[in-house]
Amino acid sequence: MGYPVVAVAQLGRAPIYLSIRGPLDLGRECEGLLLEDPQVSRRHLRLDHVEGRVVVTDLGSSNGTLLDDQPLTTPVPLSVTTVVTLGSTTITLVDDEADAGVDGDDVSVATTPAPPVDPRRSASRAH
């Protein structure tokens, strides 16, 4: 079984299909997927791969995140019928790549890189 795939749809753009393999932050200014949506916070939400499922977590965004038109207040695993809305952007879980009408070449692997390690801090811990 492969990793779960989500479709991220921004207003006026073709959807982006992402294979969620670890934590991925979404926002206007973050280390993950950058969204061009003025209603989205800099670090708005996180998608994560937990036990074969995609879990969505709001990261304290200003305008909030909706899960099926209800405010998202705790981390929630997505189902194929769930619609996540942040600003004008929507995220849906795709059952599999065939259902999305895409093949493996159209799906991007998505994880947020780990924060860089400051070598001075690592060296000071070694003493």
Side-chain angles (χ1 to χ4, degrees):
M1 184 173 124
Y3 290 95
V5 174
V6 297
V8 179
Q10 295 184 74
L11 197 60
R13 296 174 172 251
I16 301 168
Y17 295 95
L18 302 170
S19 175
I20 305 299
R21 299 181 180 202
L24 175 68
D25 292 353
L26 285 80
R28 288 183 294 112
E29 296 176 22
C30 64
E31 295 295 322
L33 182 63
L34 299 178
L35 301 174
E36 292 187 27
D37 186 331
Q39 298 172 7
V40 169
S41 294
R42 290 181 204 161
R43 283 185 64 240
H44 197 102
L45 67 76
R46 175 171 294 144
L47 299 174
D48 202 357
H49 180 252
V50 179
E51 298 178 359
R53 300 187 72 185
V54 175
V55 174
V56 61
T57 305
D58 186 279
L59 298 175
S61 64
S62 298
N63 292 330
T65 301
L66 299 178
L67 186 75
D68 293 330
D69 296 323
Q70 298 298 314
L72 177 67
T73 57
T74 61
V76 174
L78 298 182
S79 69
V80 293
T81 60
T82 303
V83 177
V84 177
T85 305
L86 56 158
S88 299
T89 302
T90 60
I91 301 169
T92 53
L93 181 66
V94 178
D95 198 17
D96 61 36
E97 294 169 3
D99 285 350
V102 298
D103 61 29
D105 295 335
D106 296 324
V107 176
S108 298
V109 174
T111 59
T112 298
V117 175
D118 184 341
R120 296 172 295 192
R121 294 185 91 189
S122 296
S124 66
R125 290 183 186 166
H127 296 285

